[in-house]
mmCIF file of all heavy atoms in Angstrom:
data_model
loop_
_atom_site.group_PDB
_atom_site.id
_atom_site.type_symbol
_atom_site.label_atom_id
_atom_site.label_comp_id
_atom_site.label_asym_id
_atom_site.label_seq_id
_atom_site.Cartn_x
_atom_site.Cartn_y
_atom_site.Cartn_z
ATOM 1 N N GLU A 1 9.923 -6.491 -8.163
ATOM 2 C CA GLU A 1 9.258 -5.529 -9.044
ATOM 3 C C GLU A 1 10.030 -4.214 -9.110
ATOM 4 O O GLU A 1 9.827 -3.407 -10.002
ATOM 5 C CB GLU A 1 7.823 -5.274 -8.578
ATOM 6 C CG GLU A 1 6.895 -6.455 -8.752
ATOM 7 C CD GLU A 1 6.782 -6.927 -10.194
ATOM 8 O OE1 GLU A 1 6.531 -6.085 -11.071
ATOM 9 O OE2 GLU A 1 6.983 -8.126 -10.442
ATOM 10 N N SER A 2 10.912 -4.005 -8.153
ATOM 11 C CA SER A 2 11.746 -2.811 -8.137
ATOM 12 C C SER A 2 13.128 -3.210 -7.639
ATOM 13 O O SER A 2 13.383 -4.374 -7.324
ATOM 14 C CB SER A 2 11.125 -1.729 -7.235
ATOM 15 O OG SER A 2 11.755 -0.486 -7.434
ATOM 16 N N ASP A 3 14.041 -2.252 -7.569
ATOM 17 C CA ASP A 3 15.372 -2.547 -7.040
ATOM 18 C C ASP A 3 15.882 -1.336 -6.272
ATOM 19 O O ASP A 3 15.233 -0.283 -6.221
ATOM 20 C CB ASP A 3 16.346 -2.926 -8.161
ATOM 21 C CG ASP A 3 16.436 -1.883 -9.263
ATOM 22 O OD1 ASP A 3 16.500 -0.671 -8.936
ATOM 23 O OD2 ASP A 3 16.458 -2.267 -10.444
ATOM 24 N N ALA A 4 17.047 -1.480 -5.668
ATOM 25 C CA ALA A 4 17.584 -0.433 -4.800
ATOM 26 C C ALA A 4 17.773 0.887 -5.539
ATOM 27 O O ALA A 4 17.500 1.956 -4.988
ATOM 28 C CB ALA A 4 18.909 -0.895 -4.194
ATOM 29 N N ASP A 5 18.211 0.830 -6.790
ATOM 30 C CA ASP A 5 18.448 2.060 -7.551
ATOM 31 C C ASP A 5 17.147 2.808 -7.833
ATOM 32 O O ASP A 5 17.081 4.037 -7.719
ATOM 33 C CB ASP A 5 19.158 1.738 -8.872
ATOM 34 C CG ASP A 5 20.600 1.296 -8.663
ATOM 35 O OD1 ASP A 5 21.168 1.634 -7.603
ATOM 36 O OD2 ASP A 5 21.145 0.604 -9.546
ATOM 37 N N LYS A 6 16.098 2.053 -8.211
ATOM 38 C CA LYS A 6 14.806 2.693 -8.482
ATOM 39 C C LYS A 6 14.219 3.302 -7.213
ATOM 40 O O LYS A 6 13.680 4.410 -7.232
ATOM 41 C CB LYS A 6 13.829 1.678 -9.082
ATOM 42 C CG LYS A 6 14.175 1.245 -10.495
ATOM 43 C CD LYS A 6 13.164 0.211 -10.990
ATOM 44 C CE LYS A 6 13.511 -0.262 -12.391
ATOM 45 N NZ LYS A 6 12.579 -1.327 -12.855
ATOM 46 N N ILE A 7 14.320 2.542 -6.124
ATOM 47 C CA ILE A 7 13.788 3.038 -4.852
ATOM 48 C C ILE A 7 14.554 4.284 -4.402
ATOM 49 O O ILE A 7 13.964 5.272 -3.965
ATOM 50 C CB ILE A 7 13.855 1.933 -3.779
ATOM 51 C CG1 ILE A 7 12.902 0.780 -4.147
ATOM 52 C CG2 ILE A 7 13.499 2.485 -2.404
ATOM 53 C CD1 ILE A 7 13.019 -0.436 -3.259
ATOM 54 N N LYS A 8 15.862 4.237 -4.551
ATOM 55 C CA LYS A 8 16.697 5.383 -4.171
ATOM 56 C C LYS A 8 16.395 6.589 -5.057
ATOM 57 O O LYS A 8 16.445 7.741 -4.609
ATOM 58 C CB LYS A 8 18.176 5.002 -4.279
ATOM 59 C CG LYS A 8 19.138 6.055 -3.747
ATOM 60 C CD LYS A 8 20.567 5.567 -3.822
ATOM 61 C CE LYS A 8 21.541 6.633 -3.298
ATOM 62 N NZ LYS A 8 22.949 6.170 -3.370
ATOM 63 N N GLY A 9 16.047 6.318 -6.318
ATOM 64 C CA GLY A 9 15.741 7.400 -7.256
ATOM 65 C C GLY A 9 14.439 8.114 -6.956
ATOM 66 O O GLY A 9 14.211 9.229 -7.425
ATOM 67 N N ALA A 10 13.566 7.455 -6.201
ATOM 68 C CA ALA A 10 12.298 8.090 -5.803
ATOM 69 C C ALA A 10 12.573 8.959 -4.585
ATOM 70 O O ALA A 10 12.278 8.582 -3.444
ATOM 71 C CB ALA A 10 11.248 7.027 -5.511
ATOM 72 N N THR A 11 13.134 10.117 -4.821
ATOM 73 C CA THR A 11 13.657 10.957 -3.734
ATOM 74 C C THR A 11 12.584 11.537 -2.819
ATOM 75 O O THR A 11 12.886 11.974 -1.707
ATOM 76 C CB THR A 11 14.481 12.112 -4.323
ATOM 77 O OG1 THR A 11 13.659 12.847 -5.253
ATOM 78 C CG2 THR A 11 15.710 11.584 -5.054
ATOM 79 N N GLN A 12 11.323 11.539 -3.280
ATOM 80 C CA GLN A 12 10.258 12.115 -2.464
ATOM 81 C C GLN A 12 9.383 11.031 -1.819
ATOM 82 O O GLN A 12 8.296 11.310 -1.329
ATOM 83 C CB GLN A 12 9.398 13.054 -3.302
ATOM 84 C CG GLN A 12 10.181 14.242 -3.870
ATOM 85 C CD GLN A 12 9.295 15.191 -4.666
ATOM 86 O OE1 GLN A 12 8.394 15.812 -4.111
ATOM 87 N NE2 GLN A 12 9.542 15.283 -5.961
ATOM 88 N N LEU A 13 9.898 9.791 -1.855
ATOM 89 C CA LEU A 13 9.157 8.666 -1.303
ATOM 90 C C LEU A 13 9.650 8.311 0.094
ATOM 91 O O LEU A 13 10.849 8.174 0.334
ATOM 92 C CB LEU A 13 9.309 7.442 -2.219
ATOM 93 C CG LEU A 13 8.739 6.106 -1.712
ATOM 94 C CD1 LEU A 13 7.231 6.202 -1.480
ATOM 95 C CD2 LEU A 13 9.070 4.981 -2.702
ATOM 96 N N LYS A 14 8.699 8.149 1.000
ATOM 97 C CA LYS A 14 9.001 7.722 2.372
ATOM 98 C C LYS A 14 8.165 6.493 2.687
ATOM 99 O O LYS A 14 6.966 6.451 2.389
ATOM 100 C CB LYS A 14 8.664 8.856 3.363
ATOM 101 C CG LYS A 14 8.763 8.432 4.833
ATOM 102 C CD LYS A 14 8.212 9.521 5.756
ATOM 103 C CE LYS A 14 8.174 9.043 7.209
ATOM 104 N NZ LYS A 14 7.554 10.032 8.121
ATOM 105 N N PHE A 15 8.783 5.477 3.282
ATOM 106 C CA PHE A 15 8.062 4.269 3.667
ATOM 107 C C PHE A 15 7.658 4.345 5.134
ATOM 108 O O PHE A 15 8.415 4.844 5.971
ATOM 109 C CB PHE A 15 8.931 3.030 3.439
ATOM 110 C CG PHE A 15 9.264 2.787 1.996
ATOM 111 C CD1 PHE A 15 10.565 2.948 1.531
ATOM 112 C CD2 PHE A 15 8.275 2.399 1.103
ATOM 113 C CE1 PHE A 15 10.875 2.733 0.206
ATOM 114 C CE2 PHE A 15 8.578 2.187 -0.238
ATOM 115 C CZ PHE A 15 9.881 2.355 -0.684
ATOM 116 N N SER A 16 6.465 3.855 5.422
ATOM 117 C CA SER A 16 5.981 3.947 6.801
ATOM 118 C C SER A 16 4.949 2.866 7.109
ATOM 119 O O SER A 16 4.232 2.394 6.222
ATOM 120 C CB SER A 16 5.352 5.324 7.043
ATOM 121 O OG SER A 16 4.778 5.397 8.336
ATOM 122 N N SER A 17 4.898 2.495 8.380
ATOM 123 C CA SER A 17 3.813 1.637 8.871
ATOM 124 C C SER A 17 3.101 2.340 10.030
ATOM 125 O O SER A 17 2.341 1.726 10.771
ATOM 126 C CB SER A 17 4.376 0.286 9.343
ATOM 127 O OG SER A 17 5.390 0.475 10.315
ATOM 128 N N ASN A 18 3.368 3.644 10.150
ATOM 129 C CA ASN A 18 2.768 4.475 11.199
ATOM 130 C C ASN A 18 1.539 5.192 10.650
ATOM 131 O O ASN A 18 1.647 6.042 9.761
ATOM 132 C CB ASN A 18 3.798 5.493 11.708
ATOM 133 C CG ASN A 18 3.272 6.311 12.882
ATOM 134 O OD1 ASN A 18 2.081 6.250 13.228
ATOM 135 N ND2 ASN A 18 4.138 7.095 13.502
ATOM 136 N N ILE A 19 0.378 4.835 11.182
ATOM 137 C CA ILE A 19 -0.876 5.402 10.673
ATOM 138 C C ILE A 19 -0.909 6.924 10.803
ATOM 139 O O ILE A 19 -1.493 7.613 9.961
ATOM 140 C CB ILE A 19 -2.081 4.769 11.410
ATOM 141 C CG1 ILE A 19 -2.148 3.270 11.107
ATOM 142 C CG2 ILE A 19 -3.385 5.445 11.023
ATOM 143 C CD1 ILE A 19 -3.227 2.523 11.853
ATOM 144 N N ASP A 20 -0.271 7.464 11.808
ATOM 145 C CA ASP A 20 -0.272 8.920 11.999
ATOM 146 C C ASP A 20 0.342 9.661 10.812
ATOM 147 O O ASP A 20 -0.023 10.802 10.533
ATOM 148 C CB ASP A 20 0.486 9.293 13.281
ATOM 149 C CG ASP A 20 -0.290 8.909 14.538
ATOM 150 O OD1 ASP A 20 -1.526 8.779 14.442
ATOM 151 O OD2 ASP A 20 0.340 8.744 15.597
ATOM 152 N N ASP A 21 1.267 9.014 10.105
ATOM 153 C CA ASP A 21 1.887 9.657 8.943
ATOM 154 C C ASP A 21 0.863 9.923 7.837
ATOM 155 O O ASP A 21 1.045 10.823 7.004
ATOM 156 C CB ASP A 21 3.020 8.789 8.390
ATOM 157 C CG ASP A 21 4.238 8.780 9.305
ATOM 158 O OD1 ASP A 21 4.371 9.719 10.117
ATOM 159 O OD2 ASP A 21 5.055 7.834 9.197
ATOM 160 N N LEU A 22 -0.222 9.144 7.831
ATOM 161 C CA LEU A 22 -1.240 9.301 6.793
ATOM 162 C C LEU A 22 -2.089 10.554 6.989
ATOM 163 O O LEU A 22 -2.770 10.999 6.061
ATOM 164 C CB LEU A 22 -2.144 8.067 6.759
ATOM 165 C CG LEU A 22 -1.453 6.724 6.458
ATOM 166 C CD1 LEU A 22 -2.477 5.588 6.478
ATOM 167 C CD2 LEU A 22 -0.744 6.769 5.113
ATOM 168 N N LYS A 23 -2.042 11.115 8.181
ATOM 169 C CA LYS A 23 -2.832 12.320 8.460
ATOM 170 C C LYS A 23 -2.359 13.515 7.639
ATOM 171 O O LYS A 23 -3.083 14.508 7.486
ATOM 172 C CB LYS A 23 -2.766 12.650 9.947
ATOM 173 C CG LYS A 23 -3.451 11.608 10.840
ATOM 174 C CD LYS A 23 -3.306 11.950 12.312
ATOM 175 C CE LYS A 23 -4.001 10.905 13.195
ATOM 176 N NZ LYS A 23 -3.847 11.181 14.646
ATOM 177 N N LEU A 24 -1.157 13.420 7.098
ATOM 178 C CA LEU A 24 -0.600 14.507 6.288
ATOM 179 C C LEU A 24 -1.066 14.438 4.842
ATOM 180 O O LEU A 24 -0.801 15.357 4.062
ATOM 181 C CB LEU A 24 0.939 14.443 6.321
ATOM 182 C CG LEU A 24 1.613 14.487 7.702
ATOM 183 C CD1 LEU A 24 3.110 14.186 7.562
ATOM 184 C CD2 LEU A 24 1.392 15.835 8.355
ATOM 185 N N CYS A 25 -1.764 13.369 4.474
ATOM 186 C CA CYS A 25 -2.048 13.106 3.064
ATOM 187 C C CYS A 25 -3.416 13.604 2.612
ATOM 188 O O CYS A 25 -4.373 13.654 3.384
ATOM 189 C CB CYS A 25 -1.916 11.608 2.778
ATOM 190 S SG CYS A 25 -0.253 10.993 3.112
ATOM 191 N N ASP A 26 -3.473 13.954 1.326
ATOM 192 C CA ASP A 26 -4.713 14.424 0.697
ATOM 193 C C ASP A 26 -5.261 13.404 -0.299
ATOM 194 O O ASP A 26 -6.457 13.356 -0.562
ATOM 195 C CB ASP A 26 -4.476 15.740 -0.057
ATOM 196 C CG ASP A 26 -3.576 16.698 0.693
ATOM 197 O OD1 ASP A 26 -4.092 17.337 1.627
ATOM 198 O OD2 ASP A 26 -2.372 16.781 0.361
ATOM 199 N N LEU A 27 -4.346 12.636 -0.874
ATOM 200 C CA LEU A 27 -4.712 11.637 -1.872
ATOM 201 C C LEU A 27 -4.308 10.257 -1.363
ATOM 202 O O LEU A 27 -3.168 10.046 -0.944
ATOM 203 C CB LEU A 27 -3.995 11.909 -3.194
ATOM 204 C CG LEU A 27 -4.478 13.111 -4.012
ATOM 205 C CD1 LEU A 27 -3.425 13.525 -5.018
ATOM 206 C CD2 LEU A 27 -5.771 12.752 -4.739
ATOM 207 N N PHE A 28 -5.242 9.315 -1.406
ATOM 208 C CA PHE A 28 -4.974 7.951 -0.962
ATOM 209 C C PHE A 28 -5.220 6.991 -2.123
ATOM 210 O O PHE A 28 -6.271 7.047 -2.761
ATOM 211 C CB PHE A 28 -5.887 7.573 0.209
ATOM 212 C CG PHE A 28 -5.740 8.459 1.417
ATOM 213 C CD1 PHE A 28 -6.471 9.641 1.516
ATOM 214 C CD2 PHE A 28 -4.875 8.128 2.438
ATOM 215 C CE1 PHE A 28 -6.346 10.472 2.625
ATOM 216 C CE2 PHE A 28 -4.732 8.939 3.557
ATOM 217 C CZ PHE A 28 -5.470 10.120 3.649
ATOM 218 N N ILE A 29 -4.260 6.127 -2.390
ATOM 219 C CA ILE A 29 -4.407 5.125 -3.448
ATOM 220 C C ILE A 29 -4.299 3.748 -2.806
ATOM 221 O O ILE A 29 -3.276 3.405 -2.219
ATOM 222 C CB ILE A 29 -3.355 5.304 -4.553
ATOM 223 C CG1 ILE A 29 -3.458 6.712 -5.160
ATOM 224 C CG2 ILE A 29 -3.535 4.246 -5.639
ATOM 225 C CD1 ILE A 29 -2.429 7.007 -6.240
ATOM 226 N N VAL A 30 -5.365 2.962 -2.912
ATOM 227 C CA VAL A 30 -5.467 1.679 -2.219
ATOM 228 C C VAL A 30 -5.116 0.532 -3.169
ATOM 229 O O VAL A 30 -5.743 0.364 -4.218
ATOM 230 C CB VAL A 30 -6.886 1.476 -1.656
ATOM 231 C CG1 VAL A 30 -6.976 0.150 -0.904
ATOM 232 C CG2 VAL A 30 -7.271 2.638 -0.748
ATOM 233 N N THR A 31 -4.089 -0.256 -2.783
ATOM 234 C CA THR A 31 -3.637 -1.364 -3.637
ATOM 235 C C THR A 31 -3.556 -2.675 -2.850
ATOM 236 O O THR A 31 -2.692 -3.503 -3.110
ATOM 237 C CB THR A 31 -2.258 -1.052 -4.251
ATOM 238 O OG1 THR A 31 -1.282 -0.993 -3.200
ATOM 239 C CG2 THR A 31 -2.268 0.268 -4.992
ATOM 240 N N VAL A 32 -4.435 -2.846 -1.892
ATOM 241 C CA VAL A 32 -4.393 -4.060 -1.059
ATOM 242 C C VAL A 32 -4.983 -5.249 -1.828
ATOM 243 O O VAL A 32 -5.723 -5.071 -2.800
ATOM 244 C CB VAL A 32 -5.158 -3.853 0.267
ATOM 245 C CG1 VAL A 32 -4.520 -2.734 1.077
ATOM 246 C CG2 VAL A 32 -6.633 -3.561 0.001
ATOM 247 N N PRO A 33 -4.678 -6.480 -1.405
ATOM 248 C CA PRO A 33 -5.193 -7.669 -2.102
ATOM 249 C C PRO A 33 -6.712 -7.796 -1.980
ATOM 250 O O PRO A 33 -7.306 -7.359 -0.994
ATOM 251 C CB PRO A 33 -4.502 -8.835 -1.379
ATOM 252 C CG PRO A 33 -3.371 -8.227 -0.619
ATOM 253 C CD PRO A 33 -3.777 -6.831 -0.292
ATOM 254 N N THR A 34 -7.306 -8.397 -2.992
ATOM 255 C CA THR A 34 -8.736 -8.743 -2.939
ATOM 256 C C THR A 34 -8.856 -10.222 -3.319
ATOM 257 O O THR A 34 -9.165 -10.557 -4.464
ATOM 258 C CB THR A 34 -9.572 -7.874 -3.893
ATOM 259 O OG1 THR A 34 -8.885 -7.758 -5.157
ATOM 260 C CG2 THR A 34 -9.786 -6.492 -3.318
ATOM 261 N N PRO A 35 -8.621 -11.111 -2.363
ATOM 262 C CA PRO A 35 -8.648 -12.556 -2.631
ATOM 263 C C PRO A 35 -10.064 -13.120 -2.603
ATOM 264 O O PRO A 35 -11.048 -12.376 -2.482
ATOM 265 C CB PRO A 35 -7.807 -13.117 -1.486
ATOM 266 C CG PRO A 35 -8.062 -12.162 -0.348
ATOM 267 C CD PRO A 35 -8.236 -10.804 -0.978
ATOM 268 N N ILE A 36 -10.153 -14.424 -2.709
ATOM 269 C CA ILE A 36 -11.417 -15.131 -2.507
ATOM 270 C C ILE A 36 -11.253 -16.047 -1.297
ATOM 271 O O ILE A 36 -10.135 -16.398 -0.922
ATOM 272 C CB ILE A 36 -11.833 -15.962 -3.744
ATOM 273 C CG1 ILE A 36 -10.695 -16.894 -4.188
ATOM 274 C CG2 ILE A 36 -12.273 -15.048 -4.880
ATOM 275 C CD1 ILE A 36 -11.057 -17.835 -5.312
ATOM 276 N N ASN A 37 -12.382 -16.420 -0.673
ATOM 277 C CA ASN A 37 -12.312 -17.306 0.491
ATOM 278 C C ASN A 37 -12.419 -18.766 0.053
ATOM 279 O O ASN A 37 -12.415 -19.070 -1.147
ATOM 280 C CB ASN A 37 -13.398 -16.955 1.515
ATOM 281 C CG ASN A 37 -14.806 -17.095 0.946
ATOM 282 O OD1 ASN A 37 -15.048 -17.827 -0.019
ATOM 283 N ND2 ASN A 37 -15.757 -16.394 1.548
ATOM 284 N N GLN A 38 -12.528 -19.667 1.021
ATOM 285 C CA GLN A 38 -12.560 -21.100 0.695
ATOM 286 C C GLN A 38 -13.805 -21.501 -0.073
ATOM 287 O O GLN A 38 -13.847 -22.571 -0.692
ATOM 288 C CB GLN A 38 -12.422 -21.948 1.969
ATOM 289 C CG GLN A 38 -13.609 -21.877 2.923
ATOM 290 C CD GLN A 38 -13.448 -20.805 3.986
ATOM 291 O OE1 GLN A 38 -12.914 -19.736 3.713
ATOM 292 N NE2 GLN A 38 -13.896 -21.117 5.201
ATOM 293 N N PHE A 39 -14.810 -20.648 -0.069
ATOM 294 C CA PHE A 39 -16.041 -20.921 -0.816
ATOM 295 C C PHE A 39 -16.045 -20.221 -2.178
ATOM 296 O O PHE A 39 -17.067 -20.146 -2.848
ATOM 297 C CB PHE A 39 -17.254 -20.480 -0.003
ATOM 298 C CG PHE A 39 -17.314 -21.092 1.368
ATOM 299 C CD1 PHE A 39 -17.109 -20.312 2.496
ATOM 300 C CD2 PHE A 39 -17.542 -22.448 1.530
ATOM 301 C CE1 PHE A 39 -17.144 -20.869 3.772
ATOM 302 C CE2 PHE A 39 -17.581 -23.016 2.797
ATOM 303 C CZ PHE A 39 -17.377 -22.223 3.919
ATOM 304 N N LYS A 40 -14.873 -19.656 -2.550
ATOM 305 C CA LYS A 40 -14.684 -18.951 -3.819
ATOM 306 C C LYS A 40 -15.583 -17.718 -3.943
ATOM 307 O O LYS A 40 -16.025 -17.348 -5.035
ATOM 308 C CB LYS A 40 -14.877 -19.901 -5.010
ATOM 309 C CG LYS A 40 -13.923 -21.094 -4.972
ATOM 310 C CD LYS A 40 -13.928 -21.870 -6.249
ATOM 311 C CE LYS A 40 -13.053 -23.119 -6.153
ATOM 312 N NZ LYS A 40 -11.658 -22.835 -5.803
ATOM 313 N N ALA A 41 -15.834 -17.100 -2.801
ATOM 314 C CA ALA A 41 -16.579 -15.842 -2.750
ATOM 315 C C ALA A 41 -15.598 -14.703 -2.453
ATOM 316 O O ALA A 41 -14.556 -14.929 -1.824
ATOM 317 C CB ALA A 41 -17.657 -15.901 -1.680
ATOM 318 N N PRO A 42 -15.897 -13.476 -2.911
ATOM 319 C CA PRO A 42 -14.988 -12.352 -2.660
ATOM 320 C C PRO A 42 -14.713 -12.149 -1.173
ATOM 321 O O PRO A 42 -15.631 -12.197 -0.347
ATOM 322 C CB PRO A 42 -15.755 -11.162 -3.241
ATOM 323 C CG PRO A 42 -16.631 -11.742 -4.296
ATOM 324 C CD PRO A 42 -17.041 -13.085 -3.750
ATOM 325 N N ASP A 43 -13.449 -11.925 -0.851
ATOM 326 C CA ASP A 43 -13.035 -11.604 0.511
ATOM 327 C C ASP A 43 -12.601 -10.144 0.529
ATOM 328 O O ASP A 43 -11.475 -9.816 0.157
ATOM 329 C CB ASP A 43 -11.893 -12.521 0.943
ATOM 330 C CG ASP A 43 -11.391 -12.209 2.359
ATOM 331 O OD1 ASP A 43 -12.016 -11.363 3.033
ATOM 332 O OD2 ASP A 43 -10.372 -12.786 2.771
ATOM 333 N N LEU A 44 -13.493 -9.281 0.961
ATOM 334 C CA LEU A 44 -13.232 -7.843 0.945
ATOM 335 C C LEU A 44 -12.587 -7.331 2.230
ATOM 336 O O LEU A 44 -12.404 -6.120 2.380
ATOM 337 C CB LEU A 44 -14.545 -7.077 0.707
ATOM 338 C CG LEU A 44 -15.246 -7.311 -0.634
ATOM 339 C CD1 LEU A 44 -16.539 -6.484 -0.702
ATOM 340 C CD2 LEU A 44 -14.349 -6.965 -1.798
ATOM 341 N N ALA A 45 -12.242 -8.240 3.134
ATOM 342 C CA ALA A 45 -11.712 -7.818 4.438
ATOM 343 C C ALA A 45 -10.512 -6.867 4.323
ATOM 344 O O ALA A 45 -10.512 -5.805 4.956
ATOM 345 C CB ALA A 45 -11.353 -9.033 5.285
#
């Protein structure tokens, strides 16, 4: 969906898996998956 040039061009973007880094943030945008389970019911986990 992206490439090295686009990622490099986002000069103010930092990647992290450290939850402490989120303490600096004011705006959160959630884009996690919302699948269904084996019974075809929403899986909100």
Side-chain angles (χ1 to χ4, degrees):
E1 291 301 309
S2 193
D3 55 43
D5 290 338
K6 290 179 181 177
I7 294 172
K8 187 177 179 180
T11 56
Q12 298 182 65
L13 173 61
K14 172 189 174 184
F15 296 111
S16 175
S17 55
N18 185 351
I19 296 176
D20 288 337
D21 288 339
L22 300 179
K23 293 178 180 178
L24 303 171
C25 299
D26 319 282
L27 288 161
F28 301 86
I29 302 178
V30 181
T31 66
V32 299
T34 43
I36 53 175
N37 61 23
Q38 68 268 37
F39 305 110
K40 302 191 185 302
D43 179 6
L44 296 180

